[in-house]
Amino acid sequence: MVKALSFLKPYRIQVTIALILMLTELTVELVHPLLMAKIIDDGIIKGDLQVVIYWGAIMIGMSLLAFLAGIINSFYAAHVSQSYGFDIRKHLYEKVQAFSFANFNKFPTSSLITRMTNDVTQLQNTIFMGLRIMLRAPLLIIGGVIMSLVVNVKLAFLLVVTVPVLFFFLVWVMNKGGALFSHVQKRLDAVNGVMRENLVGMRLIKAFLRRNHEVKRFTKANEELREKTVSALRLMETTMPLLLVLMNASIIAILWFGSFNVNNGGAQVGEVVAIVHYAMRITSALSVFSWIVMAFSRARASANRIVEVLDTEIDLTESTQVNHEAKVVSGRIEFQGVSFKYPDTTETVLDDISFHVNPGETVAILGATGSGKTSLFQLIPRLYDVSAGKVLIDGQDVTFMKMENIRKQIGYVPQEALLFTGSVRENIEWGKDHASMDEIIKAAKDAQIHQTIEKLPKQYETVLGQKGVNLSGGQKQRLSIARALIRNPKILLLDDSTSALDLKTEAKLLKAIREYTCTTLIITQKISTAIEADKILLLEEGRLIAEGSHPELLKESPLYKRIYISQYGEEVRDHVRAVE
C-alpha cells in the first residue's frame, strides 16, 4: 500500500491544500456544538436575544466558510485522484511493456487488464474519497471525543470508553476484509478471463455449437465471484448495526446521566446538548467509517495486486557488459552449442544446436510440431536468453548487444498474423515510424498485397476490424510481411508466415524478398518453399539432425526424403532413388 501511495508525491501541494480545506470543514463542524451550547445557556435560557443573534450569525458565517472550503476541496481531490490514476496506470503499462515473455507467463492477460482498469479505479476512487471524506471521519471521531472532554469530562467519559472499543473492532474488520476482497479481485480476474476467451473465440463457439457450454462456464465463474463478494460485503454490513447499537446506547446514557447532572448543578443544559451533538456526529462518522473500512479494504487488496506487477523483476535485461556500439551490419547468424529451456521448466526445448547462416542467405527450417522451430527464432532477437551456448550476430554475442540495436534491424512475422485496429496504411506503417507512402506501397507490392488493397473500399485508408477480422488468413499474413519488409531489415524472420498462400503467390513473394539485402530465415512445412532456400535446417525433438541444400538432404537425410515423398507423392520416389 505504501508503494502505491508513493505516486502521490508529485501532488503534495495539492494534497496539502485539500487536507487544509477538509480540516477547515471539520473545525467548523466541531465548533458548532460549542456555539450551540453557548446560545442555549447564555441566550435562550436567560432570554437574551442579542446573544442568540450574535452567535447565530457567527454560526451562519462559519457554515458559509465550510461550504466554500468543501467546494474547493472537491476540486483538488478530483484533480489529485485523476492525476494519480493516470500516473499509476501509465507506470503499470510501461512496466508491462518491459516484461519479458517469461514475466507474461506469470500474469494472465485478463488479470493484467483488471489490474490496469478495475484495481487502478478502486485506488483512484479511494484517494478522492480519502481527501474528501475518509480522513474527515476518523478525525471527526477523535475531535468529537476531545471536544466532549473540553465541554464536560464526566459526561464525555462514556464516549471515551465506547469509541476505542469500536475503533479496534473496525481495525479487525478492515484486516479481515482486506483478505476477503483480495479473493474477490481474483474471482473478477477469472470472470474477465472467461469473457475475453469467449469474445475472442466467438466464431469458433458458434461453429462448434458450444454456446451452452460456455454459458455454463461463465455462470460458474460469475457465481464464484458473487459468493466471494457476498461473503466480503456480509462482514462489512454486519458492522454497521453493531456500531449503531453501541453508539445509540451511549447517547441514551449521556441523556440519562446528563439529566441528573443538570438537576444537581453538575452540568448545564447546553453542555448536555453539545455532548449529545458530538455523540451523534461520532455516530454518523462511524456509520461512514464502516463504508470507509470496506472501501479501504478493497483499495488495499487492489494496491497489493498493482504493486505485485510493479515489483516484478524483469528477468531479461541488458548485460552490465553490454557494448552500446554493437549493431547488426551484415546479418550473419551463428548458433554455437545452443541449448534452451523455458524459464521455470525442466524440459529441454533445444539441445546443442550449432549452425551458421551467411549474410544474405535464405534458410528454411523444417520440423514437426514441437521440434523447437519457433523457440529457435525467439533466441535471435533475444526474446529469451539461451540456457547454454551462444547466439552470435555478425560475430557478436547477442547477450552483450543492446536489445534495441538488435531488434531495430530485425523484421519478425509471427506464426499468428496480428493486425491492429486502424487503417491498412497504419498497420503497415506500424513497422516503421513516419514511413512515406512510397515506402508503404513498395512494401505492400513486395508482400504481394498491393492489388488486394487497391480493391478495398478506401484502399490504403480502409479501416480494419479488430485483429483484421475483415481480411482472409492469407491477406493478414501478407500485410504482416509488408509491415516487416518496410523496416528494410538486415534479418528477416518468417515463422510459418506463408502457410495460407498459394504456391504462385508464395513464389512471387520469395522472389521479391530476395531483392532485399537481408538474411532470411523461414519456418515452413512446405517442401516447395524449402527447395528455394540456400540451406535447409531439419529439426527433430529440439535437435538439429540435418543441414544442407535440397539435393544434399535428399542424399543424406532419411527423414527429409520421407517428408519430400509425403508431400509430392509416389511419382517423385524414382527421382529420390536417382539422387541417391
Side-chain angles (χ1 to χ4, degrees), residues 18 20 25 40 76 100 114 144 157-159 179 204 214-215 237 251 264 272 333 360 400-401 404 476 494 536 538 541:
I20 291 172
E25 286 185 280
I40 293 171
Y76 276 101
S100 67
T114 304
F157 182 73
L158 292 167
L159 294 178
L204 191 63
E214 291 302 322
V215 168
E237 294 301 329
I251 292 172
N264 62 26
V272 176
I333 301 171
F400 303 113
M401 297 175 70
E404 182 181 355
K476 286 190 281 189
L494 303 178
I536 301 169
L538 186 58
E541 296 182 352

Side-chain angles (χ1 to χ4, degrees), residues 168-178 235-236 239 293 297:
F168 286 113
F169 171 69
L170 287 172
V171 170
W172 176 82
V173 170
M174 185 172 64
N175 289 330
K176 186 77 174 174
L235 172 67
M236 297 302 171
T239 62
V293 168
S297 298

Side-chain angles (χ1 to χ4, degrees), residues 18 28 65 83 102 105 123 175 205 249 277 328 351 407 415 420 459-460 471 477 559 570:
V28 170
L65 175 64
S83 300
N105 293 336
L123 277 180
N175 289 330
I205 293 169
H277 264 284
V328 180
D351 186 12
R407 295 171 186 173
Q415 192 169 12
F420 298 94
Q459 299 180 344
Y460 282 86
L471 297 178
Q477 282 188 340
L559 176 59
E570 289 297 322

Side-chain angles (χ1 to χ4, degrees), residues 171-411:
V171 170
W172 176 82
V173 170
M174 185 172 64
N175 289 330
K176 186 77 174 174
L180 290 174
F181 280 114
S182 180
H183 291 303
V184 169
Q185 295 302 95
K186 288 179 181 177
R187 295 271 65 84
L188 182 60
D189 283 349
V191 170
N192 285 342
V194 174
M195 283 196 299
R196 180 180 178 277
E197 289 175 356
N198 272 258
L199 293 174
V200 170
M202 188 58 69
R203 288 169 178 76
L204 191 63
I205 293 169
K206 288 183 178 296
F208 276 76
L209 296 175
R210 300 297 287 170
R211 175 184 173 183
N212 292 336
H213 170 78
E214 291 302 322
V215 168
K216 289 178 183 177
R217 198 159 71 97
F218 177 80
T219 302
K220 180 183 177 183
N222 200 24
E223 181 68 26
E224 290 174 351
L225 172 62
R226 186 185 70 171
E227 289 175 359
K228 293 295 182 182
T229 305
V230 168
S231 297
L233 292 178
R234 186 183 293 125
L235 172 67
M236 297 302 171
E237 294 301 329
T238 52
T239 62
M240 187 59 201
L242 181 58
L243 293 174
L244 289 177
V245 167
L246 291 175
M247 284 307 301
N248 285 330
S250 297
I251 292 172
I252 292 170
I254 291 169
L255 289 170
W256 177 267
F257 289 109
S259 64
F260 286 110
N261 279 280
V262 169
N263 291 332
N264 62 26
Q268 294 181 307
V269 174
E271 291 177 345
V272 176
V273 171
I275 292 178
V276 169
H277 264 284
Y278 284 125
M280 292 178 66
R281 289 170 191 262
I282 290 171
T283 302
S284 65
L286 284 171
S287 66
V288 173
F289 207 77
S290 63
W291 172 82
I292 291 173
V293 168
M294 180 175 67
F296 189 78
S297 298
R298 298 192 74 162
R300 189 170 66 171
S302 293
N304 290 337
R305 286 159 51 83
I306 288 170
V307 170
E308 185 183 5
V309 175
L310 294 175
D311 284 347
T312 297
E313 184 177 350
I314 298 172
D315 60 353
L316 192 67
T317 57
E318 303 286 8
S319 168
T320 54
Q321 302 174 353
V322 65
N323 180 1
H324 293 273
E325 303 301 320
K327 295 181 180 179
V328 180
V329 179
S330 63
R332 187 180 193 276
I333 301 171
E334 185 175 0
F335 276 53
Q336 294 182 351
V338 170
S339 295
F340 174 65
K341 298 177 183 176
Y342 283 102
D344 302 321
T345 65
T346 57
E347 182 183 358
T348 299
V349 180
L350 296 174
D351 186 12
D352 195 25
I353 301 286
S354 296
F355 67 88
H356 73 273
V357 182
N358 293 321
E361 279 190 333
T362 297
V363 174
I365 303 174
L366 293 176
T369 301
S371 59
K373 303 184 298 296
T374 298
S375 299
L376 183 148
F377 258 33
Q378 292 174 341
L379 297 178
I380 297 171
R382 206 184 161 208
L383 299 178
Y384 287 101
D385 275 336
V386 299
S387 303
K390 293 179 181 180
V391 176
L392 307 176
I393 296 180
D394 290 343
Q396 304 169 98
D397 190 336
V398 295
T399 306
F400 303 113
M401 297 175 70
K402 280 195 69 176
M403 286 183 278
E404 182 181 355
N405 290 347
I406 299 172
R407 295 171 186 173
K408 268 184 177 180
Q409 297 300 326
I410 289 179

Side-chain angles (χ1 to χ4, degrees), residues 1-10 84-85 87-88 119-120 123-124 127 299-308 310-311:
M1 190 73 181
V2 174
K3 182 163 185 175
L5 291 177
S6 67
F7 286 90
L8 287 172
K9 285 182 180 179
Y84 170 83
D87 288 347
I88 201 166
D119 286 325
V120 172
L123 277 180
Q124 186 174 298
I127 294 297
R300 189 170 66 171
S302 293
N304 290 337
R305 286 159 51 83
I306 288 170
V307 170
E308 185 183 5
L310 294 175
D311 284 347

